Amino acid sequence: MKALFWQRGASGGAAAFVFQERENLPVAGDNDVKVQVKACALSWMDTKLLSEIKLEKEFLPVGREISGVVLEVGNKVSSFQPDDEVVGILPLDSEESGVSEVILVHQHYLVHKPEKVCWVEAAGTLRDGVRAYTALHYLSHVSPGKTVLVMDGASPFGTIAVQLAQHRGAKVISTAYSLEDKQCLERLRPTVARVIDVSNGKTDVAESCLEETGGLGVDIVLDAGVRLYSKEDESNLKSQLLPHKHDIITLLGVGGHWITTERNLQLDPPDSNCLFLKGATVSFLNDEVWNLSTVQQGKYLCILEDIMEKLSSNVFRPQLDEPVPLYEAKVSMEMVQKNQARKRQVIQF
C-alpha cells in the first residue's frame, strides 16, 4: 500500500515528494477509526510552521483533508460505526498520509459526511471552509448589512469566503487578478456587489471601495497577502498587484476588522495610530490553531459539520480541478507546493 510523504532536505534542500510502501497499519487504539480513503485534497505545506512546532522528521506525511468510509472502530469510539461515510482534517503531527488507501484517524478529528455530498467535494472544501469560518465568524463576526472585501475572490479560499459572507447577509466586494478571475466572480450567484479588476496594476483598490461604500469604508477585509514596501521593491508581478498595507488601512471603516494572511506584517506608528483612530482591529488568520489546541475541539467539529451542511444545501460551490488519480499525486503536490495550481487539487481513489 502506497502513501505520499515529503522528504526533508532531499535534492539539495528542495522539497521532494516520494511514495513509500507500507506493509500494514499500526494497531488501532481505543479511540481510533480505520478509514478507507475515497478522496484527499492537497494543500500547501507550511514548512516554516512545521519547523516552529518542532515537527522536523525526515519524512512528513502529505495530504490531510480526507473523506472516506469507516472500516473499523476502536473500543471507545461511540460516534461512528463501520460503513459510515466520514470527512476530517488530520492533525499537523499525524503520522498518517491522507494520500493512502487506508488510514487510522482519532475519532475527534472526524464528522459524518452527508450522503448527497460527493467524496471529492467533501475533501476539497474542508480546508477553505475552516479558513472562511475562522476569518468571518471567529475573527470578525460577519452579520447582515456588513460590507466585506475579499481579496482574490476567485481563489479556492476566496470563493468559499465570498459565498459564506453572502449567506450571512453581507455585501461583498472582491478583487480579480486576471480576466478569467473577473469572469468567474461575475458568474457567482448571488452576485458580488463589485469586482475590482487589479490585473493591470493601475486600479486603486482603496478608492474603489470608498466609492462603493459612499466614503464609509468596508467593515471586514480578508487579504490574500499585502505589499509591505513600494512596487519597485517587489520582485514578482503577483506581489506588485497586491494592495499596500496603507491602502487596506485607508479603506477600513470605523470599527473595521482586517484579517490578514501576512505573517510578517509590520505596522509603523502612523499605521497603528490610524487604526487606533478608527477603532479597527488586525487579526492573523491561522486556521491551524484549531488542531494545535484541543481546548475548542467541540467548536471545531461544529465548523466541520456546518461546512458539510452548506455543501449539501449548495451554499458552498467550491473551485475544484478535475479529480487526480493516485499515480499523478506526486506531480500535483509539487504544483501545489510551488503555488502553480489555481484550483483545489483532489486525489480520488
Side-chain angles (χ1 to χ4, degrees), residues 86-131:
V86 295
V87 296
I89 300 178
L90 305 181
L92 270 173
D93 60 353
S94 172
E95 301 283 338
E96 300 279 350
S97 165
V99 186
S100 180
E101 292 175 3
V102 179
I103 61 172
L104 287 177
V105 190
H106 193 286
Q107 64 170 330
H108 292 160
Y109 294 111
L110 296 171
V111 297
H112 290 276
K113 179 187 80 66
E115 278 186 30
K116 64 186 290 189
V117 175
C118 74
W119 301 112
V120 171
E121 283 197 351
T125 311
L126 273 182
R127 166 77 56 191
D128 298 316
V130 169
R131 295 191 82 204

Side-chain angles (χ1 to χ4, degrees), residues 22 45 65 138 146 148 157 173 204 210 239 293 336:
R22 303 175 68 195
M45 291 181 67
E65 304 94 76
Y138 293 96
K146 293 279 181 77
V148 180
F157 165 61
I173 304 169
D204 189 320
L210 290 171
S239 296
S293 169
V336 169

Side-chain angles (χ1 to χ4, degrees), residues 129-344:
V130 169
R131 295 191 82 204
Y133 267 83
T134 306
L136 293 172
H137 279 271
Y138 293 96
L139 297 178
S140 60
H141 312 292
V142 68
S143 57
K146 293 279 181 77
T147 304
V148 180
L149 170 62
V150 179
M151 302 289 189
D152 196 12
S155 66
F157 165 61
T159 303
I160 297 297
V162 167
Q163 291 165 356
L164 180 59
Q166 288 178 327
H167 181 69
R168 292 296 183 222
K171 173 183 176 180
V172 178
I173 304 169
S174 187
T175 58
Y177 290 111
S178 67
L179 178 61
E180 187 183 355
D181 286 356
K182 185 174 184 238
Q183 292 169 343
C184 172
L185 287 165
E186 287 171 344
R187 286 195 298 268
L188 288 178
R189 295 292 179 271
T191 55
V192 175
R194 183 165 184 165
V195 178
I196 305 169
D197 186 355
V198 296
S199 58
N200 58 13
K202 296 175 184 176
T203 308
D204 189 320
V205 175
E207 190 178 302
S208 300
C209 288
L210 290 171
E211 182 185 307
E212 183 65 34
T213 58
L216 297 175
V218 302
D219 301 297
I220 300 167
V221 178
L222 267 67
D223 73 34
V226 293
R227 270 192 301 116
L228 302 178
Y229 313 105
S230 63
K231 283 188 180 181
E232 293 73 27
D233 296 329
E234 296 291 353
S235 55
N236 61 60
L237 179 63
K238 183 71 184 285
S239 296
Q240 291 174 12
L241 294 177
L242 293 173
H244 194 279
K245 58 182 178 181
H246 297 148
D247 296 333
I248 294 184
I249 293 169
T250 301
L251 62 82
L252 263 182
V254 172
H257 301 279
W258 174 10
I259 315 300
T260 184
T261 56
E262 179 53 66
R263 70 198 305 161
N264 297 316
L265 180 67
Q266 296 175 347
L267 295 177
D268 301 318
D271 302 330
S272 299
N273 186 54
C274 190
L275 289 167
F276 168 77
L277 292 172
K278 291 186 176 190
T281 62
V282 179
S283 300
F284 291 88
L285 178 56
N286 175 15
D287 52 287
E288 295 293 0
V289 292
W290 296 105
N291 276 326
L292 290 172
S293 169
T294 55
V295 172
Q296 304 199 53
Q297 192 75 23
K299 275 186 184 176
Y300 172 64
L301 292 178
C302 283
I303 292 173
L304 297 187
E305 288 171 349
D306 214 36
I307 292 167
M308 288 301 106
E309 188 273 321
K310 296 283 187 296
L311 260 180
S312 180
S313 57
N314 287 323
V315 171
F316 287 163
R317 299 172 302 284
Q319 287 273 45
L320 305 179
D321 219 333
E322 289 296 315
V324 179
L326 179 60
Y327 63 85
E328 290 182 7
K330 205 167 114 175
V331 176
S332 292
M333 190 59 210
E334 285 168 355
M335 285 173 55
V336 169
Q337 196 63 19
K338 292 174 184 174
N339 289 317
Q340 294 173 346
R342 188 57 181 153
K343 293 184 178 180
R344 179 68 65 205

